[in-house]
Amino acid sequence: MPFSAAFDLRGDGSIDRRSLLRTAARLGAAAAGASLASPLFGGDARAAGEAVKIGWVRPTTGRLVTSFAPLYLGGGIAVDEINQAGGILGRPISKFEEDDEASPAKEPAIVRKLHEAEVNFAVGPTGSSQSLASLAATTRAKIIQSTYAAAAEAGDGKRYPYHYQLMYNTDQQGQVCANYMVKNLGIKKVGILQESTAFGEQATTSTKAALKALGIDPVSVQVYPITAPDLSAYVRNLQKEGAEGVIAWIANVPNAAMIFNTMKTLKWFPPVTGHSGLFLPALFELVPPDAIKNVFATYYRNFTWTDQQKPGERQVALAKKLLAIPEAKGYEVNVASSPYYDFVYLLKAAVEQAKSFEVDKVKQALDSTRNFPGLVGNLSFTPDNHCGIDIKDVVLASVASGQDPQAMGSFRERAPGQ
Amino acid sequence: MDIDTLVRGLVNGSLYALVAVSFNILYRPTNVFNFAQGELVMLGAMVFASASTLMGLPWIGALAVALVAVGILGLIEERIAVAPVLAKSQHNTGWVITTLAVSLIISNLVGRVWGPDPIMVEPPPLLSTQTLDWTGIQINSYQIALIIVTFVMVLAIERVYRTRHGKAVLATAEDREAALLRGIDPAKLSRWSFFLGGAFAGLTGVLAAPILYASTALGPSLLLKGFAAAAVGSIGNNRGALIAGYLIGLTEAIGASVLSPGYQEAVIFVLVLTLLLLKPHGLFGRPFTRTV
């Protein structure tokens, strides 16, 4: 509307007083109507087409950059796939990157930044200590989040109502390992070898509880510092104390290599079960094949094969994509077992079900999710249980099978009887 | 306790002694503890691993590349992080922060360049890490060679201190200002010491790699116990460092065998604290008096 028409200008260019008041009243009514209409129709309609920000919390500086970078590749692939397919409710996803330097101390400040930037969803951080530090803050800020935290408490929906754990936790890993040793192999004398970290502590506590439930106490628990230059004494102690099987919570390759090489020196090859960190191909360069022939690690059933069962089409498609990404080389297992690919798709499904990006509505949709077909398994949540992984989807797989051509980087052969 | 325990103690003790000696080389003419020493050890192993596996250089060639590269980095560290601090005042302790900063920078860069995966490093030709059962003792030829090389290196360093240049270093360590008045250039000695200390740290990394693998975790695993060996053996005393390195290595191994491996860190620190309480200047140090 032209200015003169809006205010009914007089012939000499002055504004008629009545006309001014009438026009002002009209504008005021329009403004009031708009402000009233906004909450009714929600910010979503106003923001249609505007990118939805997902916090992307990961180290881009510090010594863990290269270790953690591959874990976010799956999430990045999911974001690209969703954006190519039209985004979520027509809105593309944009990653709101924040560098946490993999330091738990940095997490509260990062959550504050996300909150100030009105970021309601977050991927990361990675690591149990970092995640638990972040969760304390994101819970208050009501940011829906999925972290890379194996700690069982991270899946407690009462404690962390906005966090969704899309990976197996230490309780599940302990249970799978204990069941395999006792039920599958019939071993009664089980030793535990644990790195002295938060993960190691939690995993050992879970393992002891799982063994206890099977009526067994470990014959020996050996805890080693990850910087120890010699781990042979710990392995010898397990052997001396009569362990016939070892549940080993080792999350780094140099320690694993030292341990398996000691077993080779001692010519002692008990069945060993442990964490998926043992799958990294770097281990094959450091340890002779016979030292790892009896070594198995926890993994997702969907990423394993048997003579009768092969991995699904979607899993194979991801594995093929990873083979084409140079940064994923050697870390395919880490990418495949990372929760971020499934989380981005789960978030999309929840938003589409809620038809809203509002946190409480999305949370409600997530809490009522049943059997969402994730890559790692069928994911289900309740308001109290936020660990989406069913223990049936967690199996043990052979470490040595990583050298089999069927592995394609991401897959491993399921342990017998699993 | 079995003989194997002693072998493990001697092998680890050799590495601690070498790290302690590399601390001493830098400390003597500068009175500076290089907090980046662990990273220089790690860098030596990583450069050697890349030179031998990726570039395909023979063992001796890869060793030369590693020593020169880490030596030059030590020299750069001295120029950027230490000399400017000492130029302001000889008693300025700002090097604590600057060498720590160098340590963080190296650790970040190495993480980005080489990544988190350890690299297998082969021992030199004619030696092997295949363990042999030799009259009931589990040992390999590389471990024997490492123990011998450690003795040889410490004796060689001690001989260097008997030369004219070495005596200049000792004079500077005794009294920097007085050495300057006698025509010694402490700044030049400082530069040389950082180059040699860096190269020695690189050598330690190369020697440790066939046993501990070349990885970013190598530095931290040796730094603390190497520093403890330097302190127990009296700072600046290489023979003391050798003996203290073995003392710590053997105590660690015997403690793990007799008590529990879980206590091995605690056992070492109890030993170090006790020795330093009884002999605050280390096993071979003497109280220093100066008349002014």
Side-chain angles (χ1 to χ4, degrees):
Chain A
M1 184 191 293
F3 183 80
S4 58
F7 289 98
D8 292 337
L9 294 184
R10 288 176 179 153
D12 61 357
S14 62
I15 300 172
D16 174 68
R17 187 169 56 89
R18 281 188 187 166
S19 162
L20 175 69
L21 290 171
R22 199 166 48 238
T23 306
R26 259 189 243 140
L27 288 171
S35 67
L36 280 171
S38 178
L40 289 177
F41 295 107
D44 301 345
R46 190 183 57 209
E50 185 188 318
V52 55
K53 287 184 278 192
I54 295 187
W56 214 258
V57 185
R58 66 188 181 114
T60 51
T61 57
R63 63 190 306 161
L64 289 171
V65 174
T66 40
S67 313
F68 284 8
L71 303 176
Y72 291 78
L73 287 174
I77 291 171
V79 168
D80 292 343
E81 288 174 354
I82 290 170
N83 283 345
Q84 278 164 18
I88 306 178
L89 295 182
R91 292 174 62 181
I93 300 171
S94 81
K95 290 188 275 187
F96 188 88
E97 294 260 9
E98 280 299 327
D99 174 17
D100 70 343
E101 297 173 31
S103 161
K106 298 259 174 194
E107 304 301 345
I110 285 176
V111 174
R112 203 159 46 241
K113 274 191 191 174
L114 297 179
H115 191 56
E116 283 166 7
E118 297 179 351
V119 175
N120 292 328
F121 313 105
V123 159
T126 291
S128 282
S129 312
Q130 294 86 338
S131 300
L132 294 175
S134 175
L135 286 178
T138 49
T139 302
R140 277 196 303 275
K142 293 187 175 183
I143 293 175
I144 291 177
Q145 179 185 27
S146 187
T147 66
Y148 196 107
E153 65 178 288
D156 183 347
K158 284 184 197 160
R159 194 164 176 181
Y160 302 117
Y162 295 92
H163 178 249
Y164 293 84
Q165 189 175 46
L166 276 73
M167 58 186 294
Y168 44 65
N169 60 34
T170 45
D171 282 354
Q172 291 168 321
Q173 291 184 81
Q175 209 174 322
V176 168
C177 289
N179 283 345
Y180 183 71
M181 285 287 171
V182 180
K183 290 183 181 170
N184 289 57
L185 302 181
I187 291 173
K188 304 287 180 201
K189 292 181 176 177
V190 180
I192 299 176
L193 181 58
Q194 175 221 311
E195 65 174 35
S196 180
T197 59
F199 159 72
E201 286 293 328
Q202 287 154 359
T204 295
T205 305
S206 303
T207 308
K208 281 182 182 170
L211 287 171
K212 192 94 184 158
L214 296 166
I216 283 176
D217 283 322
V219 290
S220 172
V221 178
Q222 300 291 320
V223 183
Y224 66 87
I226 53 173
T227 54
D230 179 20
L231 300 178
S232 55
Y234 302 90
V235 179
R236 281 165 196 264
N237 271 11
L238 287 169
Q239 189 189 26
K240 261 191 245 168
E241 289 170 33
E244 290 168 1
V246 176
I247 298 179
W249 300 118
I250 312 163
N252 81 57
V253 176
N255 288 164
M258 284 183 203
I259 287 162
F260 295 130
N261 278 325
T262 300
M263 287 179 170
K264 161 95 177 153
T265 302
L266 297 174
K267 297 184 178 65
W268 182 54
F269 302 110
V272 178
T273 65
H275 175 251
S276 59
L278 297 175
F279 286 135
L280 289 185
L283 192 63
F284 301 135
E285 306 287 323
L286 308 173
V287 177
D290 55 341
I292 49 171
K293 64 186 176 197
N294 285 338
V295 182
F296 302 92
T298 49
Y299 205 31
Y300 296 100
R301 183 179 294 275
N302 283 357
F303 281 93
T304 61
W305 80 80
T306 64
D307 288 342
Q308 288 81 34
Q309 213 176 353
K310 303 295 170 200
E313 276 177 26
R314 290 170 62 219
Q315 285 76 11
V316 172
L318 179 72
K320 282 181 179 167
K321 275 191 180 177
L322 295 181
L323 288 176
I325 300 174
E327 295 84 19
K329 189 170 168 52
Y331 302 99
E332 292 90 348
V333 168
N334 285 357
V335 183
S337 58
S338 165
Y340 303 139
Y341 181 94
D342 279 341
F343 177 66
V344 175
Y345 269 103
L346 177 71
L347 192 61
K348 175 178 184 284
V351 167
E352 286 171 351
Q353 188 193 323
K355 296 185 176 60
S356 170
F357 288 91
E358 280 180 42
V359 168
D360 287 330
K361 288 181 182 170
V362 176
K363 174 177 160 41
Q364 214 175 351
L366 286 169
D367 286 348
S368 60
T369 299
R370 300 286 179 274
N371 292 319
F372 174 80
L375 281 182
V376 296
N378 285 341
L379 305 168
S380 298
F381 302 94
T382 67
D384 292 346
N385 178 23
H386 278 198
C387 176
I389 304 293
D390 190 320
I391 196 160
K392 286 182 203 152
D393 288 327
V394 188
V395 294
L396 283 166
S398 153
V399 166
S401 68
Q403 290 182 304
D404 189 309
Q406 290 186 75
M408 291 173 67
S410 301
F411 305 114
R412 294 293 183 270
E413 186 177 19
R414 209 176 301 164
Q418 286 282 285
Chain B
M1 191 184 70
D2 48 28
I3 298 290
D4 295 350
T5 305
L6 298 180
V7 172
R8 285 201 308 276
L10 288 173
V11 170
N12 290 339
S14 299
L15 296 175
Y16 303 152
L18 289 172
V19 175
V21 170
S22 76
F23 265 117
N24 286 343
I25 293 172
L26 294 179
Y27 178 80
R28 269 190 162 164
T30 60
N31 287 344
V32 167
F33 283 115
N34 181 18
F35 283 89
Q37 203 67 5
E39 306 304 335
L40 296 182
V41 170
M42 176 263 290
L43 198 64
M46 301 307 277
V47 172
F48 177 84
S50 293
S52 60
T53 56
L54 299 179
M55 293 162 65
L57 291 180
W59 199 90
I60 198 78
L63 175 70
V65 169
L67 298 197
V68 171
V70 183
I72 289 172
L73 192 70
L75 184 60
I76 293 170
E77 182 188 2
E78 194 273 342
R79 291 289 81 203
I80 293 172
V82 178
V85 173
L86 295 182
K88 287 182 183 166
S89 160
Q90 206 48 53
H91 304 291
N92 191 332
T93 51
W95 49 262
V96 173
I97 298 298
T98 54
T99 58
L100 206 55
V102 170
S103 157
L104 291 173
I105 291 167
I106 295 174
S107 126
N108 275 297
L109 289 177
V110 169
R112 278 178 185 271
V113 173
W114 277 281
D117 291 338
I119 306 169
M120 181 73 180
V121 172
E122 292 294 335
L126 305 178
L127 296 176
S128 165
T129 50
Q130 290 294 317
T131 305
L132 303 169
D133 195 333
W134 184 60
T135 61
I137 305 169
Q138 304 278 337
I139 195 164
N140 62 55
S141 57
Y142 184 73
Q143 289 173 324
I144 296 169
L146 176 64
I147 296 167
I148 294 169
V149 166
T150 303
F151 274 93
V152 170
M153 290 310 298
V154 173
L155 292 175
I157 293 288
E158 282 296 286
R159 283 206 60 98
V160 169
Y161 284 117
R162 289 190 198 153
T163 63
R164 192 178 166 80
H165 264 85
K167 284 181 177 158
V169 169
L170 296 178
T172 309
E174 190 84 12
D175 192 322
R176 199 175 173 92
E177 284 81 11
L180 193 63
L181 291 173
R182 300 287 296 173
I184 297 168
D185 181 358
K188 190 178 169 189
L189 283 180
S190 170
R191 288 196 295 276
W192 267 109
S193 294
F194 263 81
F195 177 80
L196 290 176
F200 200 88
L203 173 69
T204 306
V206 172
L207 293 174
I211 299 171
L212 303 177
Y213 318 114
S215 83
T216 50
L218 184 62
S221 71
L222 295 176
L223 179 72
L224 207 56
K225 285 166 198 163
F227 185 77
V232 168
S234 304
I235 301 291
N237 187 324
N238 291 322
R239 289 184 190 192
L242 182 72
I243 292 167
Y246 285 125
L247 190 61
I248 289 174
L250 287 169
T251 306
E252 181 181 48
I254 293 168
S257 173
V258 174
L259 296 170
S260 157
Y263 295 130
Q264 69 183 32
E265 302 278 304
V267 166
I268 292 166
F269 288 107
V270 166
L271 172 82
V272 171
L273 280 175
T274 310
L275 284 174
L276 291 180
L277 277 172
L278 295 172
K279 292 188 76 76
H281 298 278
L283 289 174
F284 303 97
R286 276 172 295 186
F288 179 73
T289 54
R290 188 177 183 188
T291 309
V292 289

